[in-house]
Amino acid sequence: MLTALAVLGGFGLDLLLADPAWMPHPVVGMGRAIAALEKRLRRLFPATPAGERAAGRVLAAALPLGTFALAAGALALAYRLHPAAGFALETLWCWQALALRGLADESGKVYAQLAKGDLPAARRAVSRIVGRDTGSLTAAGVTKAAVETVAENFSDGVAAPLFYLLLGGAPLGLAYKAVNTMDSMVGYKNKTYLHFGRAAARLDDAANFLPSRLAALLWIGAAGLAGFDGRGAWRIWRRDRLRHASPNSAQTESACAGALGVQLAGPAWYFGEYYDKPTIGDDTRPVEPADILRADRMLYLAGFLALGLGLGLRFGLAALLRWL
């Protein structure tokens, strides 16, 4: 019961306060740990493909397991000191595991610059939330990048953390964040990380496999509730959900493209390299800055659906177990 209430409290704090810059965040610590472990592991293992893969497997195991153990130990100690202390700590970590308000705020900044016609500022704003090169993006390219990020990050920034928080409390939710952070830092198919980051990328794919598909279904439901094309979201999701190198990334992107009736994804530049990615959705109309606000509207609705469904299932299961 306390864990479910902590998740609810964390969700509410995320909606109210987003991610204050002054507050220490566990993801920052995870990033520092990844960088330190990478440096040490590269010295310990030979600089061969096999050696790099072995080092990467050690990182992929050590970081999430260590995160889970530290969080579980700290939480157990806090609850032992006083139930209120344990509840407060778990609520804090549930809050920090979620990124709904922050995602909406950052994409809203992109929209604001596009609405003013300041393309250079819009490029700078979108560079904060995407991994691709943004220096030469057109206004349509900036818009597409923002919409795609809102849709994709609903899965790994809202739906998946909620899934793991409700399943195993703050320790499992933070372990998931460790996996996701690790993939964002080393899970690239470039010269540096092709072998070293392979285990991290595959672990992230596995961790997001079910949540990403649940997230897509929630997005489709949100599209209908928000007055967008729910049937189109379902159709394009069914058709284009696997049109990505990752088995998970196109799940919510395809649902969003179908709901808006636009075409997303396609070729892009990352770290100076050109990637000929397939498109997602039908090019029935050009994307426009207002599509960012439409995506944000679906983001919020899908987030509330995810929370309501998750809490309902958790409370329902608890009631069933008590009855049995």
Side-chain angles (χ1 to χ4, degrees), residues 285-318:
R285 66 170 179 87
V287 294
E288 58 186 16
D291 286 323
I292 299 173
L293 300 183
R294 296 173 184 129
D296 285 343
R297 185 177 174 188
M298 287 185 279
L299 169 71
Y300 276 111
L301 282 171
F304 280 109
L305 286 175
L307 179 68
L309 179 62
L311 289 176
L313 288 173
R314 185 179 174 94
F315 285 131
L317 180 59

Side-chain angles (χ1 to χ4, degrees), residues 147-156 159 211-220 233 236-237 240-242 247-259 264 280 298 302:
V147 171
E148 290 165 21
T149 298
V150 169
E152 182 179 351
N153 284 341
F154 167 66
S155 179
D156 56 22
S212 68
R213 283 147 181 81
L214 293 173
L217 295 175
L218 290 165
W219 194 282
I220 293 167
I236 297 300
W237 173 69
D240 294 350
R241 67 189 186 277
L242 297 179
N248 306 319
S249 293
Q251 297 289 329
T252 43
E253 279 188 45
S254 57
C256 184
L264 300 176
I280 295 171
M298 287 185 279

Side-chain angles (χ1 to χ4, degrees), residues 195-302:
H195 300 291
F196 183 83
R198 183 175 299 180
R202 289 180 175 175
L203 182 60
D204 185 72
D205 285 345
N208 282 296
F209 188 86
L210 180 57
S212 68
R213 283 147 181 81
L214 293 173
L217 295 175
L218 290 165
W219 194 282
I220 293 167
L225 291 173
F228 299 114
D229 189 356
R231 289 184 178 181
W234 171 261
R235 179 177 62 84
I236 297 300
W237 173 69
R238 292 278 295 168
R239 191 190 74 187
D240 294 350
R241 67 189 186 277
L242 297 179
R243 299 194 72 181
H244 198 284
S246 163
N248 306 319
S249 293
Q251 297 289 329
T252 43
E253 279 188 45
S254 57
C256 184
L260 295 174
V262 299
Q263 190 173 82
L264 300 176
W269 290 83
Y270 293 85
F271 306 105
E273 291 188 36
Y274 178 80
Y275 289 81
D276 189 17
K277 298 164 61 178
T279 57
I280 295 171
D282 293 331
D283 191 14
T284 56
R285 66 170 179 87
V287 294
E288 58 186 16
D291 286 323
I292 299 173
L293 300 183
R294 296 173 184 129
D296 285 343
R297 185 177 174 188
M298 287 185 279
L299 169 71
Y300 276 111
L301 282 171

Side-chain angles (χ1 to χ4, degrees), residues 37-60 191-199:
L37 282 169
E38 178 185 355
K39 187 176 180 179
R40 181 175 293 273
L41 288 168
R42 285 188 184 275
R43 288 201 301 262
L44 290 175
F45 287 83
T48 62
E52 289 186 3
R53 287 195 294 271
R57 286 193 290 270
V58 173
L59 174 66
K191 183 178 179 181
T192 304
Y193 292 114
L194 178 63
H195 300 291
F196 183 83
R198 183 175 299 180

Side-chain angles (χ1 to χ4, degrees), residues 158-170:
V158 182
L162 277 174
F163 178 84
Y164 287 106
L165 288 170
L166 288 166
L167 191 65

Side-chain angles (χ1 to χ4, degrees), residues 123-172:
R123 289 169 175 162
R124 290 192 296 271
V126 82
S127 70
R128 293 169 53 89
I129 55 174
V130 301
R132 74 192 65 182
D133 300 342
T134 62
S136 60
L137 289 179
T138 63
V142 169
T143 301
K144 285 176 61 176
V147 171
E148 290 165 21
T149 298
V150 169
E152 182 179 351
N153 284 341
F154 167 66
S155 179
D156 56 22
V158 182
L162 277 174
F163 178 84
Y164 287 106
L165 288 170
L166 288 166
L167 191 65
L172 191 59

